[in-house]
Amino acid sequence: MIGVTMKRFKKTSNDQLVSSNRESSVVLKISESKWGLNPMTLMAFFVVCLMVLTLVFSVAIVFGNLPPDCLWTLAEARFFHVKPSEATVSEDDIPRPVIMPKDKLLGGLLPSGFDETSCLSRYESLLYIKGLRHKPSSYLISRLRRYEALHKQCGPYTELYNRTVDLIKSGDQYSTSSSVCNYVIWVSFSGLGNRILTLTSAFLYALLTNRVLLVDPRVNLPDLFCEPFPQVSWLLPSDFPILDQFSTFNQKSPLSYGYMVRNNKSRIHPFMYLHLNHDYDGQDKLFFCDTDQTFLKKIPWLFVKSNNYYVPALFLIPSFEQELNNLFPEKGTVFHFLGRYLFHPTNSVWGLITRYYQAYLANADEKIGIQIRVFDLGVGNFKYVLDQILACTAKENLLPRVNPNEPIVNSSGKTKTISILMTSLSPRYFEEIRNMYWENPTVTGEIVSVYQPSHEEHQQTEKLMHDRKAWAEMYLLSLTDKLVTSAWSTFGYVAQGLGGLKPWILYKFENGTVHNPPCFRDMSLEPCYHSPPNYDCKKKTGSYNTGNVVPHVRHCKDMSWGLKLFDQNGEL
């Protein structure tokens, strides 16, 4: 191309030289004639003038109705920027979408002031995912801004943070007046779906108790999620005094709150561990009682480990009730709002998401997500689960039926295209459904494409690339128009909450039989709390009526003993 350009340039230069010589010759002849005009010269002059006027008139008509910036655009289009062929293409050279959404802050939910290139997903997500399905309350927005100011004041390596860290180093020499900033430290545990849900729970608890949330940095978190708070990190520094003890925290830890209650120890320490895993006992569950929350207010450092979305139980604590009502007038929107606020894929994960979406989903008229998680991996269970998926999607009219008796079906008008996004550890469900739509036409003529990004065969908790793919697939599922998920699966809970979708949930496969009906429509956007406390704080005894304490906390349909938030008017 460079050679061709040079030849054209030389040719143009020669042409200009010839033209210049000809014009000089004409000028000489005219001057020699001493302005004498013969008839032939006069005729030529009038012909040239007529041609010029015709050309000007034509241009005026053609461009007269175009918008002003069109001519500017046409002029700009003539300039080219040529890079040397040996230059490498960096991530910054990749074209980004040029039309940014008007409401990139999600109605004020997100803070401004970030370097947008450091986390492209924070503001580009609206180009792919729908906006918020509901409007956040003005009180929630103001509380988030107040929290961000607190985080900036008390975050890692600030003067107040350093002063509070010194309380841990001082050991038992601690007075309740020593701390200005109080913290809740999220200790990583379990699979990625569980980690996202427990991190959301810990953040809500931090909002309710005016604490600063800092997160365990040990397990891929910085590689998966962007920083959610401006200017100051949410990652607990690697030089934190007792970071190496996190893996040993359990119910028997001497500074576990439940352990202290069991052993009648009420001495106030600078830090305390809260064991909120599924195996917690009656003393651990006292965390959800008002009197115990009064005591915990005195502890500057609370370390929380859980594999449960314990948000519904926070709604059962009387002292939090009014604040939660102000934050979330629509009770079934907690994870939808806080999930969209906290979790933004890093640029590496965002690349996985956007490349896959553009390649396989963007042009479909309808996008259907199907998330499959099988907890009972018996050899003969595959056929039962496949039949359940097909029965559910047929009964609920989610997918078109096939016609095995016709080689082709001609549809009138524009053919509808449907993309099915499947996620599973196994490729077998995807292969069966893909082959079904390849080998048979649909009854009504739709074109159906079936895709599955990965099939890892086994869950590989805390393995970086596995977690990146899992996070990308949760996010991709949230971009679909309709969603089918599996009972008990936190993977599906995250997708439905981020997307603001009420999914069809496949009943858990049990005892070699398919449940009839095969699935049900979920009653809210919220995840299910699998191991609620079921504890009566007033009577200090076990209670199984926690689903009847307040009208917006009820038992889950996919796990009868679990708890779920939903809006009282039933519209979520």
Side-chain angles (χ1 to χ4, degrees):
M1 289 300 294
I2 294 175
V4 172
T5 305
M6 291 300 294
K7 287 179 182 179
R8 290 178 177 173
F9 176 77
K10 290 177 180 178
K11 182 177 179 181
T12 303
S13 300
N14 291 336
D15 290 345
Q16 290 175 343
L17 183 60
V18 171
S19 176
S20 177
N21 291 337
R22 288 175 179 171
E23 290 173 1
S24 300
S25 176
V26 171
V27 171
L28 288 172
K29 288 181 180 180
I30 292 176
S31 63
E32 287 174 357
S33 65
K34 297 182 180 179
W35 306 99
L37 298 176
N38 57 49
M40 292 298 294
T41 301
L42 188 61
M43 180 66 71
F45 176 76
F46 280 119
V47 170
V48 171
C49 289
L50 183 61
M51 292 174 63
V52 171
L53 288 173
T54 302
L55 178 61
V56 171
F57 182 72
S58 300
V59 170
I61 291 176
V62 171
F63 292 103
N65 293 326
L66 292 177
D69 59 345
C70 182
L71 290 178
W72 180 251
T73 304
L74 290 173
E76 288 185 323
R78 299 182 62 174
F79 291 89
F80 296 88
H81 179 61
V82 181
K83 292 187 177 181
S85 58
E86 66 272 13
T88 57
V89 178
S90 68
E91 187 176 62
D92 293 336
D93 296 322
I94 300 173
R96 308 308 309 174
V98 293
I99 303 176
M100 291 301 293
K102 294 180 179 179
D103 187 22
K104 65 180 183 179
L105 299 182
L106 299 180
L109 185 72
L110 301 183
S112 58
F114 283 99
D115 173 13
E116 295 189 13
T117 61
S118 67
C119 182
L120 297 169
S121 67
R122 192 188 318 274
Y123 302 127
E124 285 186 8
S125 62
L126 278 183
L127 299 172
Y128 300 89
I129 197 170
K130 298 177 179 66
L132 294 174
R133 297 298 181 103
H134 302 270
K135 184 178 180 181
S137 69
S138 59
Y139 187 77
L140 172 61
I141 292 171
S142 67
R143 280 294 287 115
L144 292 174
R145 299 296 89 80
R146 283 168 51 195
Y147 173 82
E148 290 154 12
L150 178 67
H151 195 95
K152 182 179 178 181
Q153 181 184 24
C154 299
Y157 298 122
T158 60
E159 180 182 351
L160 292 176
Y161 167 85
N162 293 336
R163 190 186 307 170
T164 314
V165 167
D166 288 340
L167 297 178
I168 294 181
K169 298 176 182 178
S170 68
D172 291 337
Q173 297 177 359
Y174 165 70
S175 65
T176 56
S177 61
S178 303
S179 174
V180 175
C181 298
N182 293 323
Y183 299 85
V184 55
I185 310 301
W186 173 83
V187 179
S188 180
F189 181 66
S190 198
L192 183 59
N194 297 77
R195 280 181 272 161
I196 291 173
L197 297 181
T198 59
L199 189 44
T200 305
S201 304
F203 178 65
L204 179 57
Y205 181 67
L207 280 182
L208 294 171
T209 56
N210 206 35
R211 290 177 178 269
V212 172
L213 172 70
L214 296 179
V215 301
D216 185 349
R218 298 172 301 159
V219 284
N220 303 330
L221 205 75
D223 297 297
L224 301 174
F225 308 112
C226 300
E227 293 276 356
F229 312 127
Q231 301 182 34
V232 179
S233 177
W234 69 339
L235 297 174
L236 190 69
S238 58
D239 60 358
F240 189 74
I242 59 171
L243 185 62
D244 58 346
Q245 298 180 32
F246 284 10
S247 58
T248 66
F249 285 162
N250 57 48
Q251 287 173 295
K252 297 180 181 179
S253 299
L255 290 179
S256 162
Y257 183 62
Y259 178 88
M260 294 182 67
V261 172
R262 282 190 294 274
N263 292 277
N264 296 314
K265 295 182 177 182
S266 58
R267 186 170 183 177
I268 297 176
H269 292 266
F271 76 91
M272 193 164 289
Y273 166 64
L274 302 171
H275 187 82
L276 301 182
N277 285 351
H278 66 280
D279 61 350
Y280 57 175
D281 61 21
Q283 285 72 40
D284 298 314
K285 295 174 183 178
L286 292 173
F287 168 81
F288 296 104
C289 296
D290 253 337
T291 54
D292 297 83
Q293 282 298 319
T294 301
F295 173 80
L296 291 173
K297 286 180 181 178
K298 305 172 185 178
I299 312 298
W301 293 94
L302 295 179
F303 299 86
V304 183
K305 184 165 68 174
S306 178
N307 57 357
N308 272 291
Y309 180 72
Y310 53 87
V311 165
L314 298 179
F315 278 79
L316 301 178
I317 301 175
S319 60
F320 294 161
E321 183 177 3
Q322 187 57 55
E323 181 74 358
L324 286 167
N325 286 338
N326 294 337
L327 290 169
F328 304 103
E330 295 177 300
K331 305 301 184 292
T333 60
V334 176
F335 183 74
H336 184 51
F337 289 146
L338 297 187
R340 294 290 292 273
Y341 174 76
L342 289 172
F343 302 112
H344 307 284
T346 56
N347 286 352
S348 58
V349 178
W350 189 239
L352 294 176
I353 294 167
T354 55
R355 286 191 295 273
Y356 201 91
Y357 184 89
Q358 293 292 352
Y360 303 112
L361 304 176
N363 296 321
D365 295 322
E366 187 174 38
K367 294 174 280 292
I368 309 295
I370 301 178
Q371 180 262 334
I372 304 165
R373 181 72 164 94
V374 180
F375 295 94
D376 184 1
L377 299 177
V379 176
N381 292 344
F382 166 74
K383 185 66 167 62
Y384 289 107
V385 176
L386 177 64
D387 289 345
Q388 184 181 12
I389 296 167
L390 297 176
C392 171
T393 54
K395 179 178 181 297
E396 302 295 337
N397 295 315
L398 299 174
L399 295 179
R401 299 175 185 270
V402 297
N403 186 347
N405 300 318
E406 294 290 338
I408 191 168
V409 173
N410 293 319
S411 60
S412 58
K414 183 180 181 296
T415 302
K416 181 180 179 180
T417 58
I418 299 174
S419 285
I420 303 174
L421 174 69
M422 301 189 66
T423 64
S424 173
L425 292 172
S426 168
R428 296 179 67 190
Y429 304 100
F430 152 74
E431 291 167 352
E432 289 288 334
I433 294 177
R434 177 199 60 187
N435 291 342
M436 180 181 76
Y437 282 110
W438 180 31
E439 295 168 0
N440 305 284
T442 63
V443 173
T444 45
E446 298 90 346
I447 301 298
V448 181
S449 303
V450 187
Y451 306 104
Q452 181 170 327
S454 70
H455 45 87
E456 301 283 283
E457 298 295 345
H458 303 286
Q459 184 168 336
Q460 303 168 51
T461 299
E462 299 182 4
K463 184 178 177 182
L464 178 57
M465 197 60 209
H466 179 83
D467 280 350
R468 281 180 177 175
K469 291 178 180 178
W471 176 214
E473 290 181 13
M474 290 181 208
Y475 207 96
L476 283 166
L477 286 171
S478 77
L479 305 181
T480 58
D481 301 307
K482 297 175 182 177
L483 182 61
V484 178
T485 64
S486 299
W488 296 24
S489 175
T490 57
F491 196 106
Y493 293 158
V494 171
Q496 75 184 56
L498 290 178
L501 301 167
K502 287 199 301 183
W504 286 262
I505 298 183
L506 299 165
Y507 282 100
K508 187 175 181 292
F509 171 76
E510 291 179 318
N511 302 322
T513 58
V514 175
H515 196 282
N516 186 21
C519 61
F520 65 93
R521 189 77 184 272
D522 201 1
M523 60 183 177
S524 86
L525 315 178
E526 281 288 295
C528 178
Y529 180 11
H530 288 173
S531 304
N534 295 329
Y535 187 83
D536 190 322
C537 293
K538 293 180 179 179
K539 297 180 180 179
K540 298 189 181 299
T541 60
S543 170
Y544 292 95
N545 296 319
T546 48
N548 298 322
V549 176
V550 293
H552 45 272
V553 177
R554 296 184 182 177
H555 290 295
C556 312
K557 198 168 182 180
D558 63 323
M559 182 177 281
S560 59
W561 59 89
L563 294 180
K564 179 188 286 283
L565 283 168
F566 70 100
D567 195 60
Q568 291 173 251
N569 59 25
E571 294 179 358
L572 289 176

